[in-house]
Each structure stands twice: as C-alpha cells, then as structure tokens.
C-alpha cells in the first residue's frame, strides 16, 4: 500500500500539473482565437443589418440595391452574395451572375427555410442558416434579417421582407490563423447548439480528434447567438513517457492491491446505486396511488391550490367533485379485500376512460375519489360530468366470475363560486356528499350555503350528543311487560331518553338517527347496556323482585366484535346473571349479516341472555328461518295489534304467528296493547306476554320501582 500510494501520488501530481499547464496555455490560445473569429464574423453578419437599415430608409425605392450591395461587399470581406426578399420572395441578388437559381425562392414557404424565417419575423431578430457545404468547396452560412417599415405611423411597423447575405466561412476562418494552429498539431472544433432543439451545428473541425484531458472551450458572441470554440492538444505520449518508469516498479504490487480494493470499494458503490434507484422510484410514486395508478391525496394537497389559481386566472368555471362508492365496505367485509381492490381498479379505469382530457381524476384513499374539473362552460357541464360518473360506475363489474353493481354519491363545489381555498372547497364538497347520502345515495348534489348551515347544526347536535353521553344526560325509562296468563308484571323494556338541559326530555327517534350517522351508536348502545345493568343492580340492592330487562340492539351493535366481551364484562362487574337480560333485535338487523348475527347471538345465548326478535312481521324474514337462530321470544309488531279487533287478516296473522312460534318452542309477546278487547283476544290466541299503554306507558326509574311484585293486571288498572 505504501508503494502504491507514494508512487501513485507523485505520478498523479506530476501529470496533473502538466495537464493544468497545458490547459492554461490552451485557454489563452482559445480566448485569443475566439476574439479574432468573433471580430471577423461579427463584421460579416452586420452586412445584413446595414442592408436592412438602408432598405428601411429607402422608402421602397430599390433601384439602388446593387450599389448598396456592392459597397457593402467591398467594405466587408467574406461575403459571397447579398439578397433582398420583399414579402419573403427573393427578387434581388448581387452579384446576379451564378446566383440566378435563387431568384423567386419563397423563404416563408420553403420547407427548409420557413420555420427559421417565421421565427425571425416573430422575434424581430437576425437568424443564421447553416452551415452549408458549397459545391466549389468550403462552407458558408446565410445571415437573414427581417425588415419592418412604418405604414400608418412611427409606431405601426409591418413586416416588409428579408435582407440576406451568404457568408463564406472558410476564408474568414483562415484569415484568423486557425489553420496555422491545426498545422501545429492542435485539435479544433467550432460549433453551436440549436436554440429550439438539441441539434448541434459544426462550422469547423480539424482532422485530429479532441482530447478530453486538455479540452478547453471559449465562447464566440455573434449577433445570431453564441458559438463555441473547442481546442485541445494531444499530450498522451508525454504523459505515458512520464509515468512509464514509475509504473514498471509499482505495477505488480498495484495489481494485487487493486484486486483487494475492488472488493472492498465496489460494495458501497453498488449500494449507492441501489439507493439512488429506490429514491428515484419513491419520487415517481410520491404522487401516484399504488393500486390504481391515479394521482393520490398528496398530489391533491400539493397541486390543488395551484389549479384553483389557474382557474381564477383564466376566468373560467371549475369544480371539485368528491365521491365514494355506496356500501363498498360490504364487499371488503363479505367477499374480501382482494376482490374489493379489483373493483376499485376497475372503477378507476372507467373514470380515466370517461374523463375529459383537461380534468384530473384522483384517488383519495379507500373507496374515495375526486375529479378536479379545470374548465367548464356552465354548471350544466359540471352536472353532465357528474352524471357520467354515476353512469359508468353503475355498469356491471365482472371479477372472478362474480358480478358487482356499484352506485356512487357525489358532492360538488364550484370554483371559484364556493371559495378559492383548497381546504374550504374540499369541506364544502364533503358537506354536499353527506347531503347526497342523506337523500338516498346514488346521486349528485351541488353545494349551497343552506347545506353548510345544516352541516354546522348537525355537527353541533353531534357534539351535544357526545357531551350527553359523557355527562350522563341519557336516562332510561321502563315499559312494563306482563304475563297474559297470570296477569302479573314479569319484566320491562329499557327505553333511552335524553334529558336535554335546554329542550327537556327528548325521545329516541330524534337522536338515534343522529347517533347512527355520526358513528356514536356503539358508544350510545354500550351506555344503555351499562345503565341497564346499573338498574338491575339497583333493584337488587333495594330487595325488589327480579325482572327480565329487555334492551334494544342496532345492527351496528350486533356486528360489533366488542359486543360480546363488553356484555360479559358487565355481567362480571355488576354480578348480574345473564338470564335477567334480554336483547331485542329487529328482522332487518338480522338481514344485514345473517351469518355473523347467528354467531353473535349464539355467544349471548350461552351467557343465559334472552334473545327476542322485535317488530316481527314487518321485515323480510320468515318463521322458517327462526329454527336456525337461538331465539327465545317473538315480539309481534304493534301494527298488527292496533287493528286486531277490526281486521280479520290481522287476527289470522297474529294467531298463526303465535301457533307457529309455539311449535318451535318460542314464546310470543305482543306490543301495543291498548284496550281490554285486545288483551282478551291475545289471551284467547294463547299469546304469552303483552306490553302496551293498557298497562303502562314508559315511566322513569322511580315510578317503575313502585310496581308491586304480586299484583295482577286488573289490580294495577284500578290502582
């Protein structure tokens, strides 16, 4: 290592100094030569400017063109001929002899010259065409200057034509002495880069190739742009001679060390390449949703404000359409997330196919999407786009031999009508989407301020409900349930009430839907379960007779995986046997997920809890399904009991339900009993239990505590 380091250091230091000296010398030569070339060529290029100025002053009198051109060519070396093209068509050339073929050439419409000519007119600048290889040898360029003349005044200029000059590069460059440098062994190249592309034009190149070690460059500033002069000198022979002697001494040891160092150093290089590759991939994926390939939420957050600014700047109408797939969660929960992902990919594909070119489709996450409409002629255009979204998502999706039909709900905000800040517009779209869901889904809703007010009111009510649960403003009322055979009270249904600090007693039909919409129904349901256990413990502490207390469960509670553990915790905490508790579930609640419902009810039944089907007869299930469920009690809906005296069909229905339930070993309770005749008729049908205003309305805890254990229904009616 010592030999290699010392030898390599001195070789490198020596060669570096040598190369630097060579480059310094070449830099001086290059600057001097570039100055000479710039002076010579700039003078030639000014010929077209001079002619253009003369034509401008000539007031359309071109009879002196030849004299102008002759004087210019005599004064400025290197010019082969001068041309004048009124309206872009070459009509005058000096000298004419040998150049007759160029007369009549329309440079504005010529395939080779038109693009550059129009660029010159547009920018009002001189342009250069070339280099051109001449038949007689050597190369040349054409300088072309647009001419403008005043028409209606000094400020009203109109394109008149072109002044052009064919400049011979070879003699001009030779006059600078550049060929002498080539004879001395220098490699030389003169070139320029096209302004509108990466094309490189070479004007001069020596036979010797350029040496990158000693390559220096100098700029040549011309009226038509900057050229680059590159000069190098081949010093490889000298460098090899200087290094050969020391290299012989160290070559053997250096080879061994190099092999060792290669294995040591190559690993970090490979790792760095891999890091660079992954970093590039992450940058590309930063704004792209990995599942659908659509722009993602980060893209929206970073670009939405700029899109809003562009819409306002162009004084056009835009929109932010926010939407999700209705009931998409059921696909993930019942069939699987892999199928759900395929549905999302297909929906994203359809959205991309049906969107307009200028619109941007974004996947925000989950089943949420958005479309930024950057240009619309009217609100009707935005509504048409929304309708197309609904239509394309509703078409049948075939995945793994299964068919899916999705609907979608959309919320629309207009830009800038509804705001000019990204967050504000997204919040308005969210409010409109909520309104579309509230109206029944599968539709679009355009935001208006009334929705914002409703949204704020709803939000305030949600906060008030959350506070009510936290501060124990929710209380229980109890409606007694009685045995029709014995005529005694055997239980009650727990009904929640909101003891509102401002509105007073609020009934559940006013706040249960709010709890379901805001996602507080589970917290509310658990609160009712806890309060029910507290009441049963309260009765036990007072020595009151035991009752079966029924609690209503929503579909979300029944599907909550934490329901069974929570109930088990309540049983253990309050030391209340499970057979003192009953859960009432509606038929429609069971239909949400019958398999999961059966599993959950089985766990509850194993704890001794009574399972009751509430509002039986109003849903879509049948008595035949009950044999597969752990049901103890059927609750006949009050709609059948109300007309029991007058409606023969209702009597037959009630009698049939009771008979079939008894065959299955299930007890029956009728709710809504309000008259003595209804009570007697139910008894004649062998109905087991009753509940209704005939005995008692739902009453507070203090009143229910006063119901005696052994008094009959008749005694209660007369007390």
């Amino acid at each position: 290592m010592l030999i290699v380091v010392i030898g390599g250091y001195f070789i490198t230091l020596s060669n570096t100094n040598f190369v630097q000296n060579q480059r310094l010398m070449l830099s001086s030569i290059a600057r001097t030569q570039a100055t000479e070339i710039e002076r010579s060529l700039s003078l030639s290029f000014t010929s077209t400017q001079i002619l253009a100025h003369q034509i401008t002053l000539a007031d359309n009198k071109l009879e002196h063109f030849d004299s102008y051109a002759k004087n210019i060519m005599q004064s400025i070396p290197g010019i082969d001929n001068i041309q004048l093209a009124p309206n872009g068509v070459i009509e005058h050339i000096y000298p004419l002899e040998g150049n007759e073929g160029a007369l009549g050439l329309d440079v504005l419409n010529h395939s080779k010259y038109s693009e550059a000519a129009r660029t010159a007119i547009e920018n009002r600048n001189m342009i250069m065409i070339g280099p051109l290889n001449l038949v007689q040898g050597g190369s040349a360029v054409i300088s072309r200057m647009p001419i403008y003349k005043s028409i209606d005044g000094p400020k009203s200029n109109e394109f008149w034509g072109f002044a052009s000059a064919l400049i011979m590069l070879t003699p001009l460059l030779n006059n600078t002495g550049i060929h002498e440098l080539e004879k001395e062994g220098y490699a030389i190249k003169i070139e320029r880069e096209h302004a509108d592309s990466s094309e490189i034009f070479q004007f001069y190149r020596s036979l010797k190739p350029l040496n990158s070690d000693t390559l220096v460059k100098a700029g040549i500033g011309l009226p038509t742009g900057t050229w680059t002069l590159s000069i190098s000198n081949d010093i490889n022979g000298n460098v090899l001679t200087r290094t050969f002697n020391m290299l012989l001494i160290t070559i053997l040891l250096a080879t061994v060390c190099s092999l060792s160092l290669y294995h040591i150093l190559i690993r970090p290089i490979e790792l760095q390449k891999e890091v660079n590759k992954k970093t590039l991939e992450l940058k590309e994926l930063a704004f792209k949703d990995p599942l659908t390939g659509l722009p993602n939420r980060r893209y929206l957050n970073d670009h939405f404000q700029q899109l809003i600014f562009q819409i306002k700047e162009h004084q056009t109408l835009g929109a932010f359409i926010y939407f999700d797939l209705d009931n998409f969660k059921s696909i993930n929960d019942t069939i699987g997330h892999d199928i759900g992902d395929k549905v999302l990919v297909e929906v994203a594909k359809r959205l991309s196919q049906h969107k307009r070119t200028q619109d941007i489709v974004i996947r925000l996450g989950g089943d949420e999407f958005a479309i930024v409409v950057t240009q619309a002629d009217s609100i009707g255009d935005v509504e048409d786009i929304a309708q197309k979204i609904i239509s394309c998502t509703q078409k049948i999706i075939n995945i793994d031999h299964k068919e899916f039909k999705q609907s979608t709900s959309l919320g629309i905000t207009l830009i800038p009508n509804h705001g000019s800040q990204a967050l504000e517009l997204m919040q308005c779209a969210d409010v409109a989407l909520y309104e579309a869901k509230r109206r029944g889904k599968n539709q679009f809703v355009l935001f208006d301020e009334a929705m914002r007010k409703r949204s704020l009111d709803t939000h305030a009510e949600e906060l008030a409900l959350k506070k009510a649960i936290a501060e124990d403003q929710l209380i229980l009322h109890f409606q007694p349930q009685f045995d029709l055979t014995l005529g005694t009270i055997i239980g009650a249904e727990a009904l929640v009430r909101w003891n509102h600090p401002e509105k007073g007693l609020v009934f559940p039909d006013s706040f249960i839907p709010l709890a379901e919409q805001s996602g507080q129904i589970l917290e509310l349901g658990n609160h009712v379960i806890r309060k029910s256990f507290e009441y049963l413990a309260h009765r036990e502490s007072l020595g009151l007779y035991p009752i079966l207390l029924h609690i209503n469960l929503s579909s979300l509670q029944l599907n909550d995986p934490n329901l069974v553990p929570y109930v088990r915790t309540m049983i253990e905490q309050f030391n209340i046997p499970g057979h003192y508790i009953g859960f009432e579930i509606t038929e429609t609640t069971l239909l949400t997920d019958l398999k999961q419902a059966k599993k959950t009810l089985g766990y509850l039944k194993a704890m001794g809890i009574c399972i009751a089907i509430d509002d039986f007869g109003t849903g879509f299930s049948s008595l035949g399904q009950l044999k597969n469920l752990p049901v103890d009690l059927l609750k006949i809906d009050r709609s059948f009991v109300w007309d029991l005296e007058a409606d023969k069909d209702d009597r037959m229905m009630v009698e049939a339900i009771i008979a079939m339930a008894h065959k299955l070993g299930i007890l029956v309770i009728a709710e809504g009993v309000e008259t003595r005749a209804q009570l007697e008729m139910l008894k004649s049908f062998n109905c087991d239990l009753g509940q209704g205003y005939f005995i008692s309305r739902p009453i507070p805890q203090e009143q229910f505590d006063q119901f005696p254990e052994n008094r009959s229904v008749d005694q209660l009616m007369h007390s």
Side-chain angles (χ1 to χ4, degrees), residues 15 18 208 211 213-214 233-244:
N15 290 340
F18 179 73
K208 293 187 66 175
N211 187 335
D213 293 335
T214 58
N233 192 13
D234 187 2
I235 59 171
N236 291 334
N238 293 332
V239 172
L240 287 174
T241 301
R242 296 166 64 89
T243 58
F244 182 74

Side-chain angles (χ1 to χ4, degrees), residues 702-716:
E702 296 78 9
Q703 290 181 246
F704 187 67
D705 286 347
Q706 304 304 315
F707 268 85
E709 179 179 3
N710 297 318
R711 293 181 64 182
S712 67
V713 172
D714 290 333
Q715 290 174 320
L716 289 169

Side-chain angles (χ1 to χ4, degrees), residues 304 457 482:
F304 193 20
D457 292 343
F482 51 92

Side-chain angles (χ1 to χ4, degrees), residues 108-326:
L108 285 176
N109 295 302
H110 193 277
S111 59
K112 185 176 181 180
Y113 305 126
S114 60
E115 181 180 355
R118 296 185 186 280
T119 301
I121 296 171
E122 181 180 348
N123 298 330
R124 299 195 171 208
N125 287 332
M126 178 190 298
I127 61 168
M128 183 193 72
I129 301 169
L132 308 172
N133 294 321
L134 302 177
V135 176
Q136 62 271 32
S139 62
V141 294
I142 298 175
S143 65
R144 184 159 285 153
M145 182 74 183
I147 303 172
Y148 297 85
K149 288 197 173 187
S150 298
I151 303 302
D152 297 325
K155 294 184 179 180
S156 176
N157 291 334
E158 185 174 298
F159 172 69
W160 179 88
F162 289 107
S164 306
L166 181 65
I167 300 170
M168 305 294 291
L169 287 180
T170 303
L172 285 175
L173 292 175
N174 289 340
N175 288 338
T176 64
I178 195 169
H179 62 290
E180 296 295 334
L181 291 174
E182 185 178 353
K183 291 179 180 179
E184 294 175 8
Y186 294 99
I188 302 169
K189 182 173 67 173
I190 302 174
E191 63 183 2
R192 75 175 176 91
E193 184 176 344
H194 195 285
D196 298 324
S197 68
S198 59
E199 186 178 2
I200 301 297
F201 296 108
Q202 291 191 7
F203 301 97
Y204 184 91
R205 180 158 188 168
S206 60
L207 295 177
K208 293 187 66 175
L210 293 169
N211 187 335
S212 59
D213 293 335
T214 58
L215 178 66
V216 295
K217 296 183 179 182
I220 303 172
L222 298 175
T224 59
T226 301
W227 296 11
T228 302
L229 170 64
S230 302
I231 299 180
S232 70
N233 192 13
D234 187 2
I235 59 171
N236 291 334
N238 293 332
V239 172
L240 287 174
T241 301
R242 296 166 64 89
T243 58
F244 182 74
N245 293 330
M246 295 184 68
L247 188 60
L248 286 176
I249 300 172
T250 60
I251 189 65
L252 294 176
L253 293 177
T255 301
V256 175
C257 293
S258 295
L259 291 174
S260 301
L261 286 173
Y262 174 80
H263 292 289
I264 295 172
L265 299 177
I266 195 65
R267 184 58 181 165
I269 295 173
E270 291 177 346
L271 289 175
Q272 185 60 47
K273 288 181 179 179
E274 188 67 21
V275 169
N276 294 339
K277 180 182 177 182
K278 295 298 181 183
T279 301
L280 182 61
E281 291 175 356
L282 289 174
K283 288 181 179 179
E284 292 177 352
L285 294 174
F287 294 115
K288 183 182 292 185
D289 175 53
L291 177 64
T292 63
L294 295 175
N296 58 13
R297 185 181 290 274
R298 181 177 177 183
Y299 174 89
L300 181 67
N301 292 338
D302 286 8
H303 294 82
F304 193 20
Q305 195 60 52
Q306 179 62 28
L307 293 171
I308 296 169
F309 174 77
Q310 292 174 1
I311 291 170
K312 291 179 63 180
E313 187 178 48
H314 295 152
Q315 297 182 350
T316 184
L317 178 67
F320 179 73
I321 304 177
Y322 174 44
F323 56 99
D324 63 12
L325 303 180
D326 297 330

Side-chain angles (χ1 to χ4, degrees), residues 86 198 426 544 550 565 573 692:
S198 59
M426 293 169 70
L544 298 175
H550 279 96
Q573 180 177 341

Side-chain angles (χ1 to χ4, degrees), residues 605-660:
K605 178 73 172 178
M607 289 186 248
I609 293 173
C610 174
I611 306 299
I613 304 298
D614 194 12
D615 298 338
F616 190 84
T618 61
F620 301 97
S621 62
S622 66
L623 282 166
Q625 292 178 337
L626 296 178
K627 64 182 181 181
N628 298 318
L629 294 170
V631 176
D632 302 295
L633 186 65
L634 281 186
K635 199 170 192 179
I636 300 176
D637 186 66
R638 67 181 71 247
S639 62
F640 294 102
V641 178
W642 285 343
D643 294 334
L644 201 59
E645 302 169 60
D647 194 320
K648 180 180 178 181
D649 291 337
D650 282 350
R651 289 197 298 271
M652 294 175 62
M653 179 71 74
V654 170
E655 191 172 7
I657 291 174
I658 294 171
M660 290 294 292

